[in-house]
Amino acid sequence: MMRLHKVYHRLTLLSLLPSSPPSPPPLTSSLSLFTSVRTPGHLRTHHSKRFKSICTMTSRFPNLVPLNSIAAENVGGRSNDSVSSASTEDEEALAGKYQLPPPEIKNIVDAPPLPALSFSPQRDKILFLKRRSLPPLAELARPEEKLAGMRIDGKCNTRSRMSFYTGIGIHQLMPDGTLGPEREIHGYPDGAKINFVTWSLDGKHLAFSIRFDEEDNSSSKLRVWVANVETGQARPLFQSPNVYLNAVFDNFVWVDNSTLLVCAIPSSRGDLPKKPLVPSGPKIQSNEQKNVIQVRTFQDLLKDEYDEDLFDYYATSQLVLASLDGTTKEIGNPAVYTSLDPSPDQKYLLVSSIHRPYSFTVPCGRFPKKVEVWTTDGKFVREICDLPLAEDIPIAISSVRKGMRNINWRADKPSTLYWAETQDGGDAKVEVSPRDIIYTQPAEPLEGEQPEILHKLDLRYGGISWCDDSLALVYESWYKTRRTRTWVISPGSKDVSPRVLFDRSSEDVYSDPGSPMLRRTPAGTYVIAKIKKENDEGTYILLNGSGATSEGNIPFLDLFDINAGSKERIWESDKEKYYETVVSLMSDYEEGDLLLDRLKLLTSKESKTENAQYYIQKWPEKKVCQITNFPHPYPQLASLQKEMIKYQRNDGVQLTATLYLPPGYDPSKDGPLPCLFWSYPGEFKSKDAAGQVRGSPNEFAGIGPTSALLWFAILSGPTIPIIGEGDKEANDRYVEQLVASAEAAVEEVIRRGVAHPSKIAVGGHSYGAFMTANLLAHAPHLFCCGIARSGAYNRTLTPFGFQNEDRTLWEATGTYVEMSPFMSANKIKKPILLIHGEEDNNSGTLTMQFSGLFRASVCVPRHVYLLLIFHVHMMQSDRFFNALKGHGALCRLVILPFESHGYAARESILHVLWETDRWLQKHCVPNSSDASAELDACKDEVSKGVTDSDNQAVVASGGGGPELADFEHEGFYSLRRSLLW
């Protein structure tokens, strides 16, 4: 124990998943696997579950350029023992070059990722979709167009920074549950990058796109390929080599077992629009009608007419029907098609497109939108709606677009549409009943046939799970009150009244009954699975739940009587060692109701030290067969100690965190360690809900290029609830509750004797970075230094709301100012490392903050006529750094070229780890010359209790920390010397 693993000594940490990361373009389109009511997708082979705590590096695909590191250390002549300006390390740190972390960390980052998995519609085959590790900077340096809220790779004509698969392997799922030998899909050129892998409805073919690297470091346009599943032979879908995929929005979809509908680049597109050397006039936006338009700080918007032309150039598609026999047919006119959805009976297409006039204020999701019904051979049937530009959606949470929305096919009918329409004008602040109405109508209604009202809702519509004419579940919710309701309706029986099945708080995870499990239909849609018990005429469904309890999540599967409301637990996760979940039904390929005694499930199983594997479980014996055997992704950390800890805030709110400690570490023998506190605040409406336990102590600690690598003691995801009960606004007491939560967490790790009171660092990503800066400003007694990544520090730059705050700056000026650490920069005296992606596109955290024209005009009296032309250029991290530097703070700013809100390039990620390691070495671990004094101080703290002038943390004898005898232990001295080098 005297020698902990080197990985922990290096005080290093890999990034992690953000709390609400932006979703990158999909690697594939919808596949055949559902988890509860969620959309189908690939299985995860290593956990990307939110590590709720430690930092974040989201999207796996960005760009390059040299690194800019700016430091303000030892500013104003003030001395700091931990800074050695003459050292070679500092010279390297200021040289602006990419650096590498220790080899132990680099090896974990570079470890090849495990494949993604996808089952065939018939559940008899499984795809292993192979992936590569992180992209190099040379690949990520490619130019991109920022248009209408999107970033487009003009060479590929797709979203930029898109990852890919490197190969496809097929395994037969044998009757005994084992996997047969792998058969590789072959026939495409070596080095192809694969995307959008989809099964045909009958499972006999795969469709996917491929692209290649070209000599000028660009990537080729995408072409559609198909493969025979039995032989593995792949070939181009189009005989012509000049038909390319346009994947800016939708890409392609199977219309039937042998035909795909493809969004192709129009052959008549012509040359790229040229930007005029001399503009035709000034850039003008006007609000002479005095409309009240409040929008969040959207990024990458259109700026002028040239941008509009460029957007049309890249986003316009020609729809092409392509059969496997080689025949093709263009249907419709070229347009900006955003989604294509065949009806379940394969007779119709639901086609959505956007059109001008565009906007310079909002992204493309709010552009005018047209929805039409066509036949599958391209004949126009009717227009469903043509929605106008939606610049005026209120910023209040639960506000929506006016008019028809969420237009879809009923999953249980051949060709019936349904949608919702708001009755409050889309404004959540308007009180009205009903608030939403759900309508339904055939694809081709009879002359004069009006849409039928299916259900009326007083909360905001949240979706429908269909089953048949006798059963559907309708969801509604309201954010302000956190109320959520589930209704049972009988779509085919007007004489059966709707009834509330569940009415609860969305925050109350302990009362969550679970979500209905869905089964696949022959048409490829998903409906609620009805279960039959022998000699029982009841109507049963399966509810798959996370099973949140005061001891952590214990997932379950309940057999639920939809009429009686009674339930029977037919499966539950192991509680002692393992964390198990039900992933999908595997017996749903047969038509008719599913028999309970013939139930077959796909489950996953993991533990603190064992990574997730997948199993087939069969009823009635509940026999389990393991179908995967993935190796441990980082065996060097297999014996990591993990514990879910509980403690209490000073106002009585129960809090939890996950504590990670080095293998073999014993605080009673080895003494306290340096500790990293990494978190992300959350908002709640009640103390009881805020204190509920979320997550499981038995979950595998996912570590990888976008996860956390633990060093010394890590306090991962300590809950920081910001509570606003009743009519109170949570953020009005943000700082008070933030500090109280942090104090409770710090006191707990000190009480346990695992964290040294003067060597606790704090860090976070995005809103966690905002938290970090605020804690260093308002609770400097708790932390020795901070690491803030991709944060926003001045809330006046997001005047129309941020996170879940939907009041404007002018409505809650005091709250905006008090919450902004920029306004308290003069109070920050502890070292802080700021890291930010230069191309951050997250709303509110962008490095360079631009305001839109007329954004401020809504705060002036309405009788004042305004013509405003202004341009504000702000930089969140840069201006915060300058504010800190202007007050002599010890700080460092690292701008990562071409990186977005999360970091993706290998060089960027490795450098961030190096920066983190260096910062913690300098400011969280004492210099070796101070080791003896540090040990003496530790003894004094335990023997008599002290109040550090910097720290204000008091450790009294007998307060739960290590006894004096523990400090005399030889192992403690050896450990401390090794840690303090």
Side-chain angles (χ1 to χ4, degrees):
M1 179 54 241
M2 281 137 328
R3 301 188 48 169
L4 297 181
H5 195 286
K6 205 172 181 182
V7 164
Y8 298 95
H9 289 200
R10 294 298 300 174
L11 293 172
T12 318
L13 103 110
L14 289 178
S15 92
L16 1 46
L17 300 171
S19 174
S20 52
S23 298
L27 295 173
T28 71
S29 52
S30 296
L31 289 185
S32 58
L33 209 50
F34 266 68
T35 303
S36 298
V37 295
R38 296 176 177 84
T39 52
H42 296 308
L43 299 181
R44 294 168 301 185
T45 51
H46 68 282
H47 282 289
S48 61
K49 296 180 183 111
R50 283 191 189 147
F51 223 28
K52 292 184 187 144
S53 43
I54 320 202
C55 30
T56 106
M57 299 180 180
T58 349
S59 58
R60 295 280 307 263
F61 4 71
N63 297 351
L64 120 101
V65 141
L67 182 84
N68 301 314
S69 295
I70 309 170
E73 301 187 9
N74 205 18
V75 175
R78 77 168 55 179
S79 62
N80 189 299
D81 292 339
S82 64
V83 179
S84 176
S85 59
S87 68
T88 303
E89 180 187 3
D90 280 357
E91 291 176 3
E92 292 176 352
L94 296 171
K97 297 181 180 179
Y98 287 98
Q99 305 290 339
L100 296 176
E104 306 90 342
I105 309 308
K106 176 179 171 294
N107 292 340
I108 291 179
V109 172
D110 289 335
L114 298 173
L117 308 182
S118 174
F119 283 86
S120 67
Q122 290 71 33
R123 307 296 196 249
D124 60 343
K125 296 179 180 66
I126 181 171
L127 297 183
F128 279 53
L129 300 167
K130 299 169 185 180
R131 303 179 288 185
R132 60 153 188 190
S133 53
L134 297 173
L137 278 169
E139 177 181 315
L140 301 178
R142 295 167 182 163
E144 58 185 1
E145 301 290 348
K146 300 174 183 178
L147 301 168
M150 300 187 299
R151 296 183 175 183
I152 298 172
D153 185 329
K155 285 282 189 177
C156 298
N157 218 104
T158 185
R159 301 289 180 96
S160 62
R161 310 184 179 198
M162 189 169 67
S163 189
F164 56 88
Y165 298 119
T166 58
I168 305 173
I170 303 176
H171 292 266
Q172 187 76 31
L173 186 59
M174 309 306 288
D176 62 358
T178 60
L179 294 182
E182 182 173 88
R183 180 169 59 255
E184 285 276 353
I185 297 295
H186 59 276
Y188 53 81
D190 293 339
K193 300 177 179 180
I194 302 169
N195 289 94
F196 311 120
V197 182
T198 59
W199 294 89
S200 63
L201 301 179
D202 59 8
K204 294 181 179 179
H205 291 88
L206 296 174
F208 52 91
S209 71
I210 65 170
R211 55 193 162 107
F212 309 93
D213 284 332
E214 296 184 336
E215 292 182 359
D216 62 352
N217 193 37
S218 65
S219 185
S220 66
K221 292 183 175 63
L222 282 69
R223 298 188 64 196
V224 182
W225 282 57
V226 291
N228 184 297
V229 171
E230 290 302 321
T231 65
Q233 180 65 46
R235 61 177 177 82
L237 174 65
F238 294 99
Q239 295 179 358
S240 170
N242 298 319
V243 180
Y244 298 105
L245 182 67
N246 186 340
V248 169
F249 286 106
D250 212 341
N251 41 76
F252 55 81
V253 61
W254 289 94
V255 175
D256 55 40
N257 290 327
S258 61
T259 307
L260 290 111
L261 180 61
V262 179
C263 291
I265 296 174
S267 57
S268 58
R269 182 166 73 172
D271 296 331
L272 188 71
K274 293 184 178 179
K275 188 176 183 68
L277 295 177
V278 178
S280 58
K283 298 177 181 179
I284 299 173
Q285 296 185 62
S286 172
N287 192 32
E288 297 179 44
Q289 297 79 23
K290 298 188 289 186
N291 295 323
V292 177
I293 298 176
Q294 302 178 352
V295 295
R296 300 261 177 149
T297 48
F298 298 116
Q299 315 308 326
D300 303 334
L301 301 176
L302 299 177
K303 299 179 291 296
D304 50 32
E305 292 181 2
Y306 171 72
D307 274 1
E308 291 182 309
D309 293 341
L310 206 58
F311 176 74
D312 277 337
Y313 178 83
Y314 287 119
T316 299
S317 296
Q318 171 65 61
L319 300 185
V320 181
L321 283 170
S323 297
L324 297 181
D325 63 7
T327 59
T328 62
K329 176 186 176 183
E330 292 186 354
I331 61 173
N333 295 319
V336 183
Y337 297 107
T338 56
S339 68
L340 312 171
D341 189 11
S343 62
D345 63 2
Q346 303 172 5
K347 292 182 179 180
Y348 299 96
L349 296 171
L350 188 63
V351 180
S352 299
S353 60
I354 57 179
H355 59 82
R356 298 192 184 215
Y358 297 149
S359 170
F360 300 155
T361 305
V362 294
C364 58
R366 297 191 181 188
F367 288 178
K369 177 181 179 181
K370 184 181 293 186
V371 182
E372 299 173 332
V373 174
W374 301 359
T375 62
T376 48
D377 61 356
K379 295 178 181 177
F380 175 81
V381 175
R382 67 184 179 113
E383 181 181 286
I384 303 298
C385 65
D386 191 353
L387 303 176
L389 179 66
E391 289 184 328
D392 59 348
I393 299 177
I395 62 172
I397 298 174
S398 298
S399 294
V400 296
R401 189 174 193 158
K402 299 175 185 177
M404 300 171 68
R405 70 182 196 279
N406 301 108
I407 306 169
N408 292 293
W409 298 110
R410 273 186 61 168
D412 63 327
K413 288 290 185 180
S415 52
T416 299
L417 294 166
Y418 71 99
W419 64 89
E421 289 190 38
T422 178
Q423 306 301 299
D424 57 10
D427 190 347
K429 293 184 177 180
V430 174
E431 295 295 333
V432 65
S433 179
R435 191 172 290 277
D436 274 337
I437 297 179
I438 306 168
Y439 293 92
T440 183
Q441 192 176 43
E444 289 193 77
L446 300 175
E447 186 175 352
E449 182 180 1
Q450 296 300 310
E452 177 184 340
I453 294 178
L454 183 68
H455 192 46
K456 296 181 179 181
L457 300 169
D458 285 334
L459 308 181
R460 187 64 77 204
Y461 168 70
I464 301 179
S465 294
W466 298 96
C467 183
D468 53 31
D469 271 339
S470 67
L471 174 63
L473 300 182
V474 181
Y475 309 101
E476 63 173 341
S477 63
W478 197 247
Y479 177 77
K480 274 293 184 184
T481 60
R482 307 303 199 271
R483 188 179 186 184
T484 179
R485 287 194 294 200
T486 302
W487 291 82
V488 177
I489 65 171
S490 297
S493 304
K494 295 182 179 179
D495 56 339
V496 178
S497 299
R499 59 185 175 88
V500 175
L501 183 64
F502 305 121
D503 189 346
R504 48 181 292 273
S505 168
S506 60
E507 290 183 337
D508 183 9
V509 294
Y510 290 173
S511 70
D512 188 350
S515 301
M517 295 208 71
L518 305 182
R519 61 171 298 172
R520 190 180 190 277
T521 69
T525 62
Y526 285 81
V527 298
I528 297 173
K530 275 189 176 180
I531 306 297
K532 286 293 185 182
K533 295 174 67 175
E534 189 174 355
N535 301 320
D536 190 331
E537 296 301 319
T539 301
Y540 296 93
I541 65 174
L542 295 172
L543 292 180
N544 185 9
S546 60
T549 73
S550 59
E551 302 304 315
N553 288 0
I554 305 173
F556 64 83
L557 190 66
D558 282 348
L559 186 66
F560 185 76
D561 188 323
I562 199 74
N563 296 318
S566 59
K567 59 185 178 182
E568 173 190 352
R569 187 140 300 177
I570 63 172
W571 179 91
E572 189 174 67
S573 171
D574 176 83
K575 302 176 184 179
E576 302 303 322
K577 180 181 178 181
Y578 291 101
Y579 176 74
E580 301 171 281
T581 62
V582 174
V583 179
S584 177
L585 282 172
M586 295 294 287
S587 52
D588 62 348
Y589 51 85
E590 297 178 356
E591 294 192 46
D593 293 337
L594 303 181
L595 299 177
L596 181 61
D597 287 344
R598 297 182 62 184
L599 195 63
K600 186 162 64 172
L601 302 173
L602 178 71
T603 63
S604 69
K605 183 178 180 179
E606 63 193 86
S607 72
K608 295 178 184 179
T609 58
E610 301 171 40
N611 52 308
Q613 306 292 349
Y614 292 95
Y615 299 78
I616 298 292
Q617 189 168 100
K618 299 180 181 180
W619 265 250
E621 300 87 358
K622 298 186 180 179
K623 181 181 177 182
V624 176
C625 179
Q626 183 173 339
I627 62 170
T628 62
N629 188 25
F630 298 116
H632 197 294
Y634 27 87
Q636 64 270 45
L637 301 180
S639 55
L640 179 71
Q641 297 185 62
K642 175 186 176 183
E643 180 185 1
M644 179 179 285
I645 64 173
K646 302 177 185 178
Y647 49 99
Q648 186 171 289
R649 202 164 73 178
N650 58 14
D651 59 357
V653 176
Q654 296 296 317
L655 305 177
T656 59
T658 302
L659 179 63
Y660 293 92
L661 296 169
Y665 168 75
D666 183 346
S668 65
K669 297 179 181 179
D670 305 315
L673 301 171
C675 178
L676 175 63
F677 172 112
W678 199 283
S679 193
Y680 192 101
E683 292 181 15
F684 293 87
K685 290 300 292 181
S686 76
K687 291 182 178 180
D688 289 341
Q692 291 182 352
V693 177
R694 291 163 172 81
S696 168
N698 295 326
E699 289 181 87
F700 183 68
I703 297 175
T706 55
S707 303
L709 176 66
L710 309 172
W711 52 275
F712 295 153
I714 291 284
L715 195 63
S716 169
T719 49
I720 301 185
I722 310 299
I723 303 167
E725 293 187 302
D727 295 332
K728 296 180 180 178
E729 295 288 346
N731 284 336
D732 288 346
R733 295 178 56 230
Y734 172 85
V735 172
E736 173 191 343
Q737 296 187 68
L738 177 72
V739 172
S741 298
E743 285 178 336
V746 168
E747 289 170 4
E748 178 63 18
V749 291
I750 293 174
R751 184 192 68 81
R752 288 170 170 264
V754 298
H756 192 290
S758 64
K759 299 303 172 188
I760 300 176
V762 61
H765 187 98
S766 191
Y767 206 47
F770 178 73
M771 169 206 75
T772 297
N774 265 307
L775 285 174
L776 292 183
H778 302 292
H781 58 288
L782 297 178
F783 303 105
C784 63
C785 66
I787 302 168
R789 301 182 181 178
S790 296
Y793 309 103
N794 185 352
R795 283 305 169 195
T796 67
L797 296 179
T798 55
F800 292 109
F802 56 90
Q803 291 293 112
N804 295 319
E805 177 60 69
D806 57 7
R807 295 172 296 173
T808 70
L809 168 65
W810 300 275
E811 293 171 325
T813 305
T815 297
Y816 273 68
V817 171
E818 184 183 4
M819 288 183 68
S820 298
F822 180 86
M823 304 301 180
S824 300
N826 60 314
K827 299 179 181 179
I828 296 178
K829 306 302 181 184
K830 297 297 179 69
I832 183 170
L833 171 64
L834 304 174
I835 302 176
H836 215 124
E838 192 173 37
E839 302 294 333
D840 192 338
N841 62 350
N842 181 265
S843 178
T845 61
L846 74 167
T847 317
M848 302 178 68
Q849 183 85 26
F850 294 91
S851 74
L853 298 179
F854 299 97
R855 294 273 174 86
S857 64
V858 297
C859 70
V860 302
R862 293 186 61 84
H863 67 273
V864 178
Y865 179 87
L866 290 177
L867 175 60
L868 299 179
I869 304 177
F870 63 87
H871 175 83
V872 179
H873 173 251
M874 285 290 179
M875 301 181 70
Q876 286 278 15
S877 289
D878 181 67
R879 292 301 171 92
F880 186 45
F881 172 75
N882 287 331
L884 293 168
K885 189 170 61 172
H887 289 89
L890 197 164
C891 52
R892 179 177 174 87
L893 172 62
V894 179
I895 300 296
L896 302 172
F898 292 94
E899 293 289 0
S900 186
H901 190 60
Y903 320 136
R906 177 179 180 272
E907 287 85 344
S908 298
I909 289 176
L910 291 173
H911 186 89
V912 166
L913 300 179
W914 179 84
E915 290 281 357
T916 303
D917 179 75
R918 173 185 177 273
W919 199 251
L920 295 173
Q921 294 286 348
K922 291 173 73 70
H923 306 298
C924 194
V925 178
N927 291 335
S928 58
S929 59
D930 297 329
S932 298
E934 180 72 15
L935 291 174
D936 291 339
C938 287
K939 293 180 182 180
D940 291 340
E941 288 171 6
V942 172
S943 62
K944 60 185 179 181
V946 298
T947 301
D948 189 307
S949 60
D950 260 348
N951 216 291
Q952 302 301 312
V954 178
V955 181
S957 178
E963 300 289 339
L964 179 60
D966 295 333
F967 283 96
E968 299 292 351
H969 190 275
E970 180 182 355
F972 170 76
Y973 281 107
S974 298
L975 171 65
R976 293 296 285 168
R977 289 191 183 102
S978 68
L979 296 183
L980 298 173
W981 81 86

